[in-house]
Amino acid sequence: MTAMRGGGQFRAGLGGELLSEFLGTFVLILFGCGSVAVAVAGLPGSGRQETPFDAGNWLIIAFGWGLAVVFGVYVAGGVSGAHLNPAVTLAFAARRGFPWPKVGPYWVAQLLGAFVAAALVYALYAPAIDAFNAANNIASRDQSVPTYAIFATFPAEYFNGGWWGPLLDQIVGTAALVGLVAALIDNRNQAPLSNLAPFLIGLVVTAIGLSIGTNAGYAINPARDLGPRFFTWIAGWGDLAFPGAGPWFDNYWWIPIVGPLIGGVVGIVVYDLFIGGVLAARLARPPEEREPTPEVGRVPEKKRS
């Protein structure tokens, strides 16, 4: 009985939040990396696609990741808030009062969820990966950039091995993600009703993939990249994973970690500077100073709850 009470206390507190972050991130990576596996190796090897990787495959990836976010957030949102991303956790600690002592445990849970999901994607698609390498005369996994891309990210060839372009890409992409998440969950603003926020957050990720995704694979999430990267390092992709060395890039592993962590804080600060602070100032005014009727084209000020 005592053990049952102890287990209940664990689930009711931080332990339950960590289980939620683990499972939500697991769902995110399972569907996200799974969609890349379909586009890169699954369709070509299955006999269902005869053309090379093209724009249609990129649409599979973009919408696959978007839907992965939707369902990951629905899984975890009611327990942990569904951060599913160390950059989100850091931004919420910096600007939303999320407790700093929880940041490290959340990061660990997210990383473990991503790692385990990557292992499951590999278990599902190992035959397709091996068939892809054989069909393309790739002798070993540590030479197979396309199949490595199923799990983790790398920069586009046009950066010529430079780190500033990919780092800026990750900062901007994550800033857009976190800033828009802040807008979508801000009840002082035009936050979506009827529990639609997860769908719209998923569409944010889809939009990022469709607009700047080819620069560096739009990791925009340290756990999304680092967890599967650890797995690929163990599973035989070698230097492609760590230190992140390929035909046109080297020592890349840190960029999808540092860039998103910077970008997440930048995104929420920008939102607060331009929108959040304005909403707070409007709500702080006494009722007698508020406009009884807003100007044409302006949204009325919301009443205090």
Side-chain angles (χ1 to χ4, degrees):
M1 199 69 162
T2 302
M4 289 179 64
R5 275 200 301 270
Q9 291 173 353
F10 174 83
R11 288 180 172 85
L14 177 60
E17 294 173 37
L18 300 183
L19 292 173
S20 172
E21 285 296 300
F22 174 92
L23 186 59
T25 310
F26 175 90
V27 170
L28 167 66
I29 300 304
L30 176 65
F31 289 151
C33 287
S35 71
V36 186
V38 166
V40 170
L43 280 174
S46 70
R48 296 178 176 89
Q49 175 181 312
E50 297 180 357
T51 59
F53 187 99
D54 60 12
N57 300 77
W58 190 256
L59 288 175
I60 291 171
I61 293 170
F63 281 96
W65 277 109
L67 291 170
V69 170
V70 170
F71 295 117
V73 173
Y74 272 126
V75 164
V79 177
S80 65
H83 296 188
L84 315 185
N85 183 338
V88 172
T89 302
L90 179 62
F92 283 8
R95 299 291 298 183
R96 291 295 182 273
F98 183 76
W100 282 103
K102 289 185 177 183
V103 170
Y106 264 54
W107 285 5
V108 172
Q110 293 156 359
L111 184 63
L112 290 175
F115 179 90
V116 175
L120 182 55
V121 171
Y122 172 79
L124 291 170
Y125 281 99
I129 289 169
D130 292 339
F132 177 92
N133 288 338
N136 289 276
N137 299 313
I138 300 174
S140 60
R141 287 181 184 167
D142 61 358
Q143 300 174 18
S144 183
V145 175
T147 58
Y148 169 73
I150 292 171
F151 301 97
T153 63
F154 54 87
E157 292 187 49
Y158 45 72
F159 288 119
N160 297 315
W163 61 266
W164 170 242
L167 180 63
L168 178 62
D169 171 87
Q170 288 300 288
I171 292 172
V172 171
T174 313
L177 170 65
V178 175
L180 289 168
V181 167
L184 290 169
I185 65 173
D186 191 345
N187 289 325
R188 304 166 304 174
N189 203 343
Q190 296 295 292
L193 303 177
S194 302
N195 203 21
L196 286 175
F199 276 103
L200 296 178
I201 292 170
L203 286 177
V204 170
V205 173
T206 302
I208 292 170
L210 292 175
S211 58
I212 60 174
T214 58
N215 274 341
Y218 70 111
I220 57 175
N221 180 338
R224 171 266 174 274
D225 189 85
L226 187 58
R229 187 180 292 271
F230 269 127
F231 175 78
T232 55
W233 182 63
I234 293 169
W237 276 269
D239 288 349
L240 285 172
F242 288 103
W248 61 86
F249 56 94
D250 192 16
N251 198 36
Y252 185 76
W253 68 273
W254 62 275
I255 289 178
I257 299 173
V258 174
L261 291 176
I262 295 171
V265 175
V266 169
I268 204 163
V269 167
V270 169
Y271 176 79
D272 285 349
L273 178 64
F274 285 88
I275 303 297
V278 174
L279 293 169
R282 290 175 68 180
L283 289 172
R285 292 190 301 180
E288 62 271 14
E289 294 182 10
R290 299 184 189 180
E291 298 173 352
T293 304
E295 298 169 351
V296 175
R298 276 186 47 199
V299 176
E301 298 179 16
K302 294 187 176 180
K303 297 180 180 179
R304 296 179 203 246
S305 56

